[in-house]
Amino acid sequence: SEHDTGQIYMPFVNWGLFAAIVLAVVMFKSSTNLAAAYGIAVTLDMLITTVLTFYVIRYGWKYPLWLCVAATGFFFVVDLAFFTSNLLKLFAGGWFPLLIGGLVFTLMMTWKRGRGLMGEAQQAEALDLPSFLEAVFVSPPVRVAGTAVFLTAESGTVPNALLHNLKHNKVLHEQNLFVTVRSHEVPWIAPAERLQMEPLGHDCWAVTLNYGFKDEPDVPKALQLMRGHGCEMASMTTSYFLSRDVVTPTLGGGMAPWREKLFAQMHHNASAAAQFLHLPNNAVIELGSKIEI
């Protein structure tokens, strides 16, 4: 949707819902047996909607507290009464929507918390990019022909891929771009606002690419906007360096061990960034790095 950032159609999820519905029908065999599950699902949904309504009118619309409580309190009591009465059917099939909801909630919160821990770990070890380049060029490594594009989640920090490239290959390209892709809560970003670049000296640039939630990220196409601004890129001599992070669970970390292992598996199965950013397959170099959470 161009108007609502949360309205996203994902075919895989829709087919997954279809399979789950067929499985539920086969398990319960009749609509009568599904009545308990349906009752708990509907009444719990009503209760959650009432609670969220309170947060919207209180913290989103900034209405007075007494008015928010008065507006939602009556409906909360009614919805709670309906939900608790349906709990009597918990063992007659009412457990099914609670189980599904609990599983999905656990996955979502594990992913959210895991991403937060990853960000904290990366920030703790992050190096300042301008200071790092200044130190590198005191005794510069061998410069090789071509352009290197380093994808980084946080602008102004040194990508792990650059560190590994210098450590193992001991070379630096003639031109080096440190690219951060930003997604904004607007449907479209005008082409004139797509690219922001900052020269770092020694033929290095910090680049930020801006996209709306309806734009399709295409990094190679966006970087062509740098032509005529001191950086001439040729597709045949451009390499894209990505950090392939491997999550390692640790004892005493930010989550329970089983949740850390679950997040590590979810992160491993996540879609590759190269495909999402439309990077050419024959020009992508992934350098692994280990992150402990």
Side-chain angles (χ1 to χ4, degrees):
S1 170
E2 295 184 13
H3 308 289
D4 300 300
T5 57
Q7 300 301 311
I8 303 171
Y9 171 70
M10 292 181 284
F12 174 78
V13 174
N14 260 35
W15 281 105
L17 286 173
F18 169 73
I21 290 169
V22 172
L23 180 62
V25 172
V26 171
M27 286 174 54
F28 286 90
K29 298 181 181 178
S30 70
S31 57
T32 303
N33 295 335
L34 272 168
Y38 182 75
I40 284 186
V42 171
T43 53
L44 183 57
D45 180 61
M46 293 165 59
L47 186 62
I48 292 172
T49 301
T50 300
V51 173
L52 293 177
T53 301
F54 170 81
Y55 277 91
V56 169
I57 62 178
R58 172 60 179 160
Y59 300 105
W61 299 349
K62 308 296 183 183
Y63 283 1
L65 179 61
W66 67 268
L67 180 59
C68 299
V69 172
T72 60
F74 171 76
F75 295 102
F76 179 83
V77 172
V78 173
D79 294 338
L80 184 62
F82 276 123
F83 175 64
T84 52
S85 64
N86 274 275
L87 285 178
L88 297 173
K89 303 175 182 178
L90 181 63
F91 298 105
W95 56 268
F96 183 69
L98 296 180
L99 175 64
I100 298 299
L103 290 174
V104 173
F105 181 78
T106 300
L107 290 173
M108 293 175 66
M109 292 306 296
T110 299
W111 179 259
K112 182 177 185 295
R113 179 60 178 153
R115 292 291 297 177
L117 291 173
M118 275 189 62
E120 292 172 7
Q122 290 172 331
Q123 283 295 109
E125 299 177 358
L127 300 174
D128 180 64
L129 180 59
S131 301
F132 178 81
L133 291 177
E134 184 178 344
V136 166
F137 285 112
V138 170
S139 179
V142 175
R143 305 292 291 267
V144 297
T147 301
V149 178
F150 295 93
L151 277 297
T152 174
E154 293 293 332
S155 58
T157 60
V158 180
N160 286 332
L162 173 62
L163 295 174
H164 289 295
N165 187 49
L166 287 173
K167 177 182 178 180
H168 298 290
N169 298 325
K170 298 178 175 58
V171 297
L172 201 63
H173 285 70
E174 283 181 342
Q175 297 185 135
N176 296 275
L177 310 181
F178 303 95
V179 178
T180 302
V181 177
R182 297 282 187 215
S183 297
H184 300 269
E185 293 188 4
V186 294
W188 310 101
I189 295 290
E193 301 174 359
R194 175 80 68 226
L195 182 142
Q196 298 170 331
M197 56 184 295
E198 175 189 354
L200 301 173
H202 305 282
D203 290 321
C204 298
W205 292 267
V207 180
T208 301
L209 302 180
N210 301 296
Y211 291 96
F213 59 80
K214 285 284 287 181
D215 288 317
E216 188 171 355
D218 190 329
V219 170
K221 181 179 179 180
L223 292 180
Q224 294 304 315
L225 298 173
M226 296 186 66
R227 291 181 179 274
H229 294 83
C231 180
E232 301 297 325
M233 295 175 56
S235 58
M236 296 299 296
T237 58
T238 300
S239 300
Y240 298 86
F241 290 83
L242 284 77
S243 299
R244 184 64 175 178
D245 300 323
V246 178
V247 177
T248 303
T250 58
L251 292 176
M255 292 190 293
W258 67 269
R259 290 186 66 195
E260 291 187 354
K261 292 178 182 178
L262 174 61
F263 173 73
Q265 189 61 39
M266 293 172 67
H267 185 268
H268 176 74
N269 294 332
S271 299
Q275 181 181 359
F276 176 71
L277 299 175
H278 285 79
L279 303 183
N281 293 329
N282 59 351
V284 173
I285 301 170
E286 288 190 344
L287 299 173
S289 62
K290 191 176 291 185
I291 298 178
E292 295 184 350
I293 61 172

